[in-house]
Amino acid sequence: MIKTLRLLLGDQLNYKHTWFLQKPDPNIIYLMMELRSETDYAKHHAIKIQAFFAAMRSFANHFSQNGFNFIYLKLDDTENQQDFAKNINALIAKHQIEKLEILEPDEYRLDEYFKQFSKKLQIPYQCFSTEHFMAKRNELEMMFGQKDRYLMENFYRRMRAQHNVLMDGKKPVNGKWNFDTENRKKLPNKHPVPQALLFQNDVRDIKKMLINCDIEHLGAYQNTIGYPITRNQALEQLDYFCENLLLHFGDYQDAMSDQEEYIYHSRLSFALNTKILSPKEVIDAAITSFEKNKDMISYAQLEGFVRQILGWREFMRCFYWTFMPGFAYENFFNNETKLPQFYWNANTKMNCMHHCIKNSLDNAYAHHIQRLMVTGNFALLAGVDPSEVDQWYLGIYIDAIEWVEITNTRGMSQWSDGGGLATKPYVSSANYINKMSNYCKSCHYDHKLKYGKKACPFNSLYWAFLDKHQEKLSNNQRMSMIYRVWAKMDTLEQEKILEQAQEYLKELDAL
Ligand code: FAD
Ligand code: SF4
């Protein structure tokens, strides 16, 4: 038998991969490594680094205990050379390895790295599927041909049909593909949200190691991690979601509250992005739960959830592989402003921003609308350089891996590709934030005012954004109504708003 080294990256923790469905083979060594190259390529949140290493260690332990031959290099191991190539070459020599096998990296940076590395290898090399995603990397092109822009909704419908998910023959169940209009409710006052399921994973050893290694990071190191890091915990989290949260997932998907961090969100993104859970099993579990509890769970909740996983998540990955590497340099609005300081410490008088950033710093988490319509919205209105925005999102969230971070940030949130991914920029004034949250009630600023000392910055910045980018946006059909409102506005009123915006833009850090 050929002596084989099989590499697993930190986001390739697929417990159900074919590699592990076979009996352990003494000629196969599995390799996992904690590397400075990975802790240092972005300034990550402490919780994110701790969670990744804890999940990787649990994975390696699980399979070692089941007879698989694992080499696990911790960050502070003396033989760890902190570099994929150096470590792999050393192990090939030490164990007389005759073949290297890897799983397809999901990040462009690493995909290129291993393509180059394999060219220099003296032994055979093979790259296998991670067996995680439901769509292929080039699925967009396969479905729709080569295009400059793709619509998620069309992709989602094709995926539903292709995988027979929520289908009634060739038609969507209940006659409609998308029930989004039935969602989007504000959280009612005193609505009792179920408590989040928080695990108590002891990560003190990882904390100690990271402090000793002096890793630059965001947020604070923790003694315990509440996110699922093992397969059993991830399944428990999925069950918890299906039993307690699916019920109102769609209803309050867009709602924000200064009292609740997670509302009805699943907190499954870390388990999904590390591949501990597969999208297929998450979708199947939600459908099974819906079938059992049809009297309690409306179909709109289920469809809304399935759309996030089978639609948005798969779409983002395909979009990433279609448009990288150029996508990482897109800057349609030529934005150059530095990210305001309060993104790093939550010290801002804007209550919505304070809560969303604080939640992110405390928990390495914010839900989709907080990321899109608060922090992302503000960055776009303030004209922040999309690379700075990307770095922040890539660092701060526990689920941030480039294929899903950059597409959401640079594409959906910052519209840096000028509409390749989203049909219009996700910008709003205070109106939207006030409609979907209780933030404005206790804010220093007044959500109704456009100018004046207490005027909400989102208002003047919103109109100033539209005014500044009129040439680029006014032909966009989805923006035409708002441009008509702007055109009809009294000139003096317009001037006051634009002046106010200029004042705020001059001193963003003071907001
Ligand atoms: P839920 O609200 O419970 O949703 C269920 C699942 O659907 C999520 O776990 C996720 O896997 C999937 N999902 C939902 N929306 C999206 C989406 N737009 N794109 C891809 N998958 C989606 N998600 C990441 O996983 N990693 C990121 O780095 C990331 N960065 C983002 C940056 C910005 C600016 C924005 C607007 C969104 C980003 N998202 C990212 C998408 C989304 O915000 C998170 O997936 C979600 O908040 C994770 O929390 P949850 O598991 O409780 O999600
Ligand atoms: Fe945010 Fe403006 Fe509302 Fe304050 S008033 S919470 S800044 S939207």
Side-chain angles (χ1 to χ4, degrees):
M1 271 295 279
I2 295 175
K3 198 131 194 228
T4 303
L5 186 65
R6 284 180 169 173
L7 174 71
L8 288 151
L9 303 176
D11 65 344
Q12 296 181 334
L13 313 182
N14 181 355
Y15 283 73
K16 297 286 171 191
H17 195 275
T18 319
W19 279 0
F20 301 106
L21 297 181
Q22 293 147 6
K23 273 210 315 226
D25 179 337
N27 285 303
I28 299 177
I29 299 175
Y30 293 85
L31 170 64
M32 293 180 82
M33 323 174 218
E34 298 170 4
L35 298 180
R36 284 302 295 242
S37 59
E38 299 312 288
T39 55
D40 297 357
Y41 76 88
K43 189 168 162 183
H44 303 286
H45 198 295
I47 295 178
K48 180 182 175 188
I49 311 174
Q50 285 182 288
F52 263 93
F53 286 176
M56 288 163 67
R57 289 179 186 190
S58 300
F59 184 90
N61 274 341
H62 172 84
F63 286 106
S64 296
Q65 281 164 12
N66 283 289
F68 289 85
N69 206 350
F70 257 82
I71 294 178
Y72 190 96
L73 292 176
K74 289 187 179 166
L75 196 70
D76 58 354
D77 282 345
T78 44
E79 69 267 42
N80 187 344
Q81 300 183 61
Q82 308 299 342
D83 177 86
F84 284 113
K86 285 183 188 159
N87 283 338
I88 292 171
N89 284 332
L91 289 167
I92 288 175
K94 184 171 171 187
H95 297 277
Q96 286 106 49
I97 299 293
E98 295 162 287
K99 186 179 181 199
L100 175 67
E101 296 181 347
I102 73 160
L103 298 180
E104 201 171 52
D106 279 313
E107 210 177 314
Y108 185 84
R109 174 183 67 98
L110 290 176
D111 199 54
E112 282 300 300
Y113 178 96
F114 282 103
K115 275 185 192 149
Q116 298 310 320
F117 174 63
S118 66
K119 285 184 195 154
K120 294 183 216 139
L121 262 182
Q122 305 292 320
I123 56 171
Y125 165 90
Q126 204 172 351
C127 183
F128 293 85
S129 162
T130 57
E131 300 170 7
H132 172 82
F133 291 99
M134 295 172 77
K136 300 204 169 47
R137 272 186 183 184
N138 61 345
E139 196 85 43
L140 286 176
E141 205 180 319
M142 281 166 40
M143 280 181 180
F144 308 107
Q146 248 183 8
K147 287 184 162 188
D148 292 340
R149 52 195 61 203
Y150 295 95
L151 275 181
M152 195 294 284
E153 186 62 29
N154 295 343
F155 168 83
Y156 169 56
R157 292 176 187 193
R158 292 283 280 265
M159 287 294 282
R160 289 259 301 267
Q162 198 167 303
H163 295 272
N164 197 19
V165 174
L166 306 183
M167 294 299 290
D168 182 2
K170 288 192 169 165
K171 294 201 176 119
V173 166
N174 288 340
K176 234 168 64 170
W177 291 100
N178 188 316
F179 285 70
D180 207 21
T181 46
E182 293 180 27
N183 296 329
R184 306 175 183 163
K185 297 187 181 102
K186 188 172 181 162
L187 199 66
N189 261 344
K190 299 203 178 130
H191 175 93
V193 173
Q195 264 197 338
L197 175 64
L198 299 174
F199 297 95
Q200 291 287 320
N201 293 299
D202 189 334
V203 287
R204 278 173 300 183
D205 53 341
I206 297 176
K207 171 180 173 178
K208 196 168 155 206
M209 176 191 79
L210 294 170
I211 292 171
N212 285 340
C213 292
D214 199 17
I215 303 294
E216 227 200 318
H217 62 279
L218 270 166
Y221 288 125
Q222 308 291 313
N223 292 331
T224 57
I225 294 276
Y227 292 92
I229 56 161
T230 64
R231 171 85 184 152
N232 284 343
Q233 287 180 355
L235 289 171
E236 209 182 311
Q237 178 86 37
L238 177 57
D239 275 356
Y240 187 81
F241 171 74
C242 291
E243 277 170 30
N244 303 285
L245 306 172
L246 180 59
L247 176 76
H248 285 308
F249 175 81
D251 287 339
Y252 303 123
Q253 197 179 349
D254 293 1
M256 298 178 280
S257 159
D258 59 6
Q259 301 298 311
E260 300 291 341
E261 284 139 4
Y262 307 111
I263 311 189
Y264 285 89
H265 291 276
S266 68
R267 294 173 68 253
L268 284 168
S269 52
F270 178 74
L272 273 164
N273 293 355
T274 47
K275 304 185 179 64
I276 296 174
L277 291 178
S278 78
K280 174 87 171 68
E281 72 186 323
V282 171
I283 291 169
D284 287 347
I287 294 175
T288 305
S289 174
F290 167 78
E291 293 292 344
K292 271 199 269 169
N293 303 293
K294 267 185 181 161
D295 47 333
M296 281 162 60
I297 306 176
S298 75
Y299 179 73
Q301 316 303 314
L302 175 69
E303 188 283 317
F305 182 70
V306 168
R307 184 164 8 99
Q308 305 312 314
I309 313 265
L310 186 64
W312 280 112
R313 186 169 183 271
E314 294 284 331
F315 178 75
M316 290 308 201
R317 172 167 176 270
C318 297
F319 196 91
Y320 178 77
W321 286 107
T322 306
F323 292 105
M324 282 296 278
F327 188 73
Y329 303 96
E330 299 276 16
N331 189 354
F332 180 70
F333 295 118
N334 299 317
N335 285 336
E336 288 180 334
T337 304
K338 251 183 95 58
L339 195 70
Q341 204 47 38
F342 50 74
Y343 275 80
W344 304 103
N345 55 27
N347 290 337
T348 162
K349 300 192 282 294
M350 293 181 283
N351 200 32
C352 54
M353 290 290 281
H354 169 74
H355 271 282
C356 296
I357 296 171
K358 187 168 182 313
N359 190 16
S360 308
L361 287 168
D362 288 350
N363 304 309
Y365 182 91
H367 71 66
H368 187 68
I369 292 301
Q370 294 174 315
R371 298 185 203 195
L372 185 66
M373 298 311 295
V374 181
T375 47
N377 184 12
F378 186 85
L380 181 52
L381 295 181
V384 178
D385 179 345
S387 295
E388 295 231 343
V389 187
D390 258 339
Q391 281 304 300
W392 188 79
Y393 280 97
L394 184 61
I396 201 159
Y397 293 117
I398 188 155
D399 52 35
I401 302 178
E402 195 189 61
W403 65 267
V404 57
E405 174 280 320
I406 201 170
T407 41
N408 271 293
T409 304
R410 205 172 266 263
M412 183 188 264
S413 160
Q414 300 302 294
W415 224 64
S416 310
D417 61 349
L421 190 142
T423 47
K424 78 177 184 65
Y426 284 91
V427 281
S428 82
S429 64
N431 243 347
Y432 177 85
I433 296 173
N434 185 47
K435 196 173 95 193
M436 296 314 300
S437 77
N438 61 358
Y439 294 143
C440 300
K441 278 191 184 142
S442 42
C443 184
H444 165 87
Y445 296 104
D446 185 332
H447 70 93
K448 293 190 282 312
L449 300 180
K450 299 189 192 72
Y451 43 82
K453 253 191 178 164
K454 290 269 178 170
C456 168
F458 279 87
N459 291 337
S460 53
L461 294 181
Y462 172 71
W463 290 113
F465 169 87
L466 293 177
D467 184 64
K468 181 174 174 188
H469 300 299
Q470 193 147 4
E471 214 172 286
K472 286 181 169 167
L473 294 175
S474 58
N475 286 336
N476 183 321
Q477 272 190 352
R478 296 195 63 201
M479 306 290 289
S480 55
M481 200 169 84
I482 199 68
Y483 273 109
R484 279 201 297 276
V485 175
W486 180 237
K488 277 189 195 154
M489 212 182 276
D490 180 71
T491 322
L492 195 63
E493 178 82 350
Q494 284 187 343
E495 273 169 18
K496 282 186 189 162
I497 293 173
L498 295 179
E499 242 171 63
Q500 179 67 73
Q502 280 318 309
E503 239 176 76
Y504 281 153
L505 286 170
K506 258 191 267 157
E507 289 209 67
L508 283 175
D509 284 339
L511 290 177

